[in-house]
Amino acid sequence: MLTVFGSTALDTIRTPKKILKNVLGGAATFAAISASNFVDTGLIAVVGKDFPAKYHNILSKHLDLQGLAIKEGKTFRYDGKYDNTLSTRSTLKTELNVLADFKPSVPKDYRKSKFVYLANNDPEQNTALLKEFDNIKFSMCDTIDFWISTKREAVIKMIKAVDAVVINDEEARLLTKEFNLIKCAKKMMKWGAKYVIIKKGEHGSLMFYDDVVFPTAGFSLEDVVDPTGAGDSFAGAMIGYLASKNSTSLSEIKKSVVYGNVLGSFAVEKYGLDGLLRIKKGDIVKRIKIYEKMIQF
Ligand code: AMP
């Protein structure tokens, strides 16, 4: 089993063609639903009493929700706006609401999870939660500019506590105060992460382990409408795939990164969670085959 902890949100997403208001989002939501294509996945998150029943139903179709707390107050809200090229997103508002003083705990059934993903979330909550599991084989975390700017030291502590960090290029630079991505990765490895995966949006990713660098291409797409959650879907696919294989060998980690690129590509083709929600296992297999052809020479 895999456990995913992090934000479950009501997102407002402003793309050049369409504005989505208060739609189901959150880093843990995207990651857990992506992972659920590979393995049974439990979600630990908090929402407010305003969380719509229709969104609860969507989550319950894909995930174990013993870890979902419903608290008095408003659900975490994120508001972001893309530029015309869809390559840069500015954060207009982050309202933590019930997430602000959430004290997460791990349901008894999740404690035996060997694989744990700490999606984008308060780094102090993330680090504290790790201690509640019995015997973790592989843990991975992500973060975002908001936490780097408000709790940088706690982000570094979280990186010390996990096996792998998956982070996008801009955030890696902001966090490490380096520009070159190899230097960024080396710094995060010095802080304690064994694996560092730097996501580069449509251009794929770089995976670092020891002195190994494994670059992957993004899955080439002509029509992208909403990149929100692509990074979370990438990470969810990675750890979901690894959990399904119960392996952390370097070759499986390399394959997991390819699954990451492929699941990320489904996420960006439709608005909000729609891209992830409509795929079937066969769609993933087909896209992996196309990906294989794409990179062969
Ligand atoms: P991504 O597009 O992969 O960066 O992820 C976007 C998701 O992250 C959105 O659905 C947001 O709800 C969520 N998010 C944005 N800011 C934060 C934050 N400060 N903490 C936790 N989750 C966040």
Side-chain angles (χ1 to χ4, degrees), residues 49-279:
K49 288 260 158 80
D50 59 348
F51 192 66
K54 64 175 179 188
Y55 292 161
H56 195 279
N57 287 342
I58 293 176
L59 296 178
S60 67
K61 271 193 200 129
H62 297 267
L63 308 171
D64 184 306
L65 295 184
Q66 288 178 66
L68 181 70
I70 303 172
K71 298 270 183 213
E72 209 55 64
K74 284 170 77 182
T75 302
F76 171 85
R77 277 174 168 71
Y78 174 78
D79 188 334
K81 183 175 192 287
Y82 288 95
D83 70 353
N84 281 336
T85 66
L86 283 174
S87 57
T88 310
R89 184 177 69 204
S90 338
T91 298
L92 303 183
K93 235 191 273 168
T94 302
E95 285 177 27
L96 295 178
N97 298 328
V98 289
L99 194 68
D101 51 8
F102 182 46
K103 303 262 177 304
S105 72
V106 179
K108 202 165 150 270
D109 289 353
Y110 295 12
R111 283 193 203 139
K112 56 186 181 309
S113 289
K114 296 236 175 310
F115 291 76
V116 175
Y117 180 52
L118 303 172
N120 183 13
N121 185 34
D122 184 323
E124 285 165 0
Q125 290 179 17
N126 275 359
T127 310
L129 198 80
L130 275 183
K131 299 187 186 107
E132 285 198 34
F133 291 89
D134 294 341
N135 186 16
I136 297 177
K137 181 167 175 163
F138 186 81
S139 58
M140 188 163 86
C141 73
D142 186 10
T143 193
I144 200 167
D145 53 356
F146 178 86
W147 299 113
I148 298 169
S149 314
T150 57
K151 296 194 173 183
R152 183 171 182 270
E153 285 312 311
V155 171
I156 294 172
K157 244 186 173 171
M158 169 174 75
I159 289 175
K160 275 201 181 110
V162 293
D163 298 293
V165 184
V166 53
I167 187 166
N168 84 21
D169 44 7
E170 276 176 40
E171 272 132 18
R173 290 183 173 118
L174 184 71
L175 174 64
T176 60
K177 303 182 177 167
E178 298 284 354
F179 180 77
N180 179 282
L181 293 178
I182 300 172
K183 287 205 165 84
C184 294
K186 281 192 172 162
K187 205 164 201 178
M188 284 183 269
M189 294 205 285
K190 220 168 122 197
W191 288 337
K194 265 193 263 156
Y195 303 87
V196 174
I197 300 96
I198 300 185
K199 298 166 289 176
K200 301 190 294 163
E202 63 182 304
H203 303 298
S205 69
L206 292 170
M207 192 277 286
F208 299 86
Y209 167 72
D210 219 341
D211 57 357
V212 176
V213 184
F214 178 63
T216 50
F219 185 88
S220 295
L221 286 176
E222 203 172 327
D223 295 309
V224 174
V225 297
D226 175 12
T228 311
D232 309 311
S233 309
F234 180 108
M238 263 192 79
I239 198 154
Y241 173 81
L242 290 171
S244 75
K245 298 285 171 192
N246 191 23
S247 170
T248 55
S249 69
L250 185 58
S251 78
E252 291 293 11
I253 288 187
K254 286 180 175 178
K255 277 188 204 152
S256 78
V257 173
V258 169
Y259 278 93
N261 281 292
V262 165
L263 270 287
S265 74
F266 285 113
V268 303
E269 282 181 312
K270 300 278 181 295
Y271 290 96
L273 266 174
D274 284 358
L276 273 193
L277 291 177
R278 65 176 64 196
I279 51 170

